[in-house]
Amino acid sequence: MSIWKSYQNVVPLIESFKESKRNTGQFQGYARWSVGMPLRQLDAVHSISKYGALIPGVTTLKERVELDTGQDAVSGQGVLTIILDSSGSMFGEPLDRAIEAAVGLVETARFYHDKFAAIDFSSGMGWHVEPTTRYDEAVEKLSRMPGGGSTELYEAANQALEYAKKETKSATIILSDSYVWDSPRCGSTLKELSKYGKIIMIAIGRKSVNDIYEPMRNVLNKVGAKMYAVPDPSQSFTFDVLKELW
């Protein structure tokens, strides 16, 4: 799936979610975004939703947001870290839906001015994006997701922990089919990570929470993580993920 196909799928969901959150008094509408303005200000999702194309200075929009005096600009999770499974068992629809959810999370982090980090894992840790507000960097990485390999989470979990230690608060989402072969080894790292904020496992293709790979489920239970099963990987679950976090 191309990254633009992912945007096409998640645009209505993100817009619906953002509309449900615009009762805080911070959102002040939209203004035109032009070349020369910071790229991070461009709201590509709303621009595409409204006009169907991105023409700089013509159909490109940015949000006008006013933060209360003295309020921290971070109004959501602080740093949101996505750990995304690109192993062989995720090939096809499961990985497409995981990328779609990750794109939705990037754009919602942009809306809340949260830092965003992303870590790919299969046979160990792959590429990663350190906590940043350069949201387009994360999207660009997602557009070139590799595939294949086994499912080893340990290195990626340790990287997420290092990110969390540098922030005041964090949240971590693991997007996987849950067949993590080194699950027991991850226990102490995930336990430490849980001290910095919530951990959520989205188990793609599992019929129920009880159907999550047992060693992984046991570790997640011990660290107090939340678990959600997505029985049909061909169906979008982006909106549910957004509601859980913001």
Side-chain angles (χ1 to χ4, degrees):
M1 176 184 288
S2 73
I3 204 67
W4 296 115
K5 180 66 173 178
S6 294
Y7 267 108
Q8 181 181 355
N9 290 342
V10 301
V11 160
L13 297 172
I14 298 172
E15 285 301 299
S16 176
F17 175 77
K18 286 161 69 173
E19 189 63 34
S20 71
K21 297 295 183 178
R22 284 174 177 147
N23 58 358
T24 62
Q26 295 179 356
F27 177 73
Q28 302 295 322
Y30 288 92
R32 192 72 58 196
W33 180 92
S34 301
V35 174
M37 294 180 177
L39 186 59
R40 66 179 181 275
Q41 294 180 0
L42 172 64
D43 190 329
V45 170
H46 188 74
S47 300
I48 293 173
S49 178
K50 185 174 179 65
Y51 296 109
L54 291 175
I55 304 174
V58 179
T59 66
T60 46
L61 301 172
K62 66 175 184 175
E63 292 183 354
R64 291 189 290 116
V65 178
E66 295 181 4
L67 295 175
D68 296 335
T69 302
Q71 184 180 22
D72 191 333
V74 173
S75 57
Q77 296 301 324
V79 60
L80 174 65
T81 300
I82 291 292
I83 303 178
L84 205 158
D85 178 357
S86 63
S87 64
S89 62
M90 287 284 287
F91 182 77
E93 288 285 356
L95 185 57
D96 286 347
R97 293 289 81 77
I99 292 173
E100 179 182 300
V103 169
L105 288 163
V106 171
E107 293 303 329
T108 309
R110 190 196 302 262
F111 179 69
Y112 281 101
H113 310 292
D114 281 347
K115 290 182 181 179
F116 184 93
I119 306 169
D120 161 58
F121 78 99
S122 54
S123 299
M125 185 176 70
W127 60 262
H128 55 100
V129 176
E130 296 186 0
T132 182
T133 54
R134 298 192 301 274
Y135 308 104
D136 298 290
E137 178 183 345
V139 171
E140 192 274 335
K141 289 283 190 181
L142 289 168
S143 71
R144 297 189 288 113
M145 282 290 295
S150 60
T151 313
E152 299 170 22
L153 176 62
Y154 181 74
E155 289 183 7
N158 272 289
Q159 186 64 64
L161 176 59
E162 291 305 307
Y163 293 160
K165 287 178 177 179
K166 299 176 183 179
E167 306 294 333
T168 56
K169 61 177 180 176
S170 70
T172 304
I173 290 193
I174 304 169
L175 295 168
S176 172
D177 59 9
S178 82
Y179 289 113
V180 177
W181 304 124
D182 60 350
S183 297
R185 188 184 181 200
C186 299
S188 59
T189 299
L190 292 177
K191 181 66 175 177
E192 186 67 18
L193 182 59
S194 69
K195 297 176 182 178
Y196 295 90
K198 63 180 68 175
I199 299 175
I200 301 170
M201 159 71 84
I202 306 295
I204 304 168
R206 304 280 62 80
K207 297 177 183 178
S208 66
V209 169
N210 287 334
D211 189 40
I212 291 174
Y213 182 55
E214 186 174 3
M216 186 78 253
R217 187 176 74 244
N218 290 341
V219 167
L220 293 170
N221 275 325
K222 287 179 181 178
V223 305
K226 290 189 176 182
M227 291 173 275
Y228 294 90
V230 181
D232 184 356
S234 69
Q235 300 300 308
S236 173
F237 54 91
T238 303
F239 195 82
D240 293 331
V241 177
L242 299 181
K243 287 192 297 182
E244 176 62 45
L245 287 166
W246 283 281

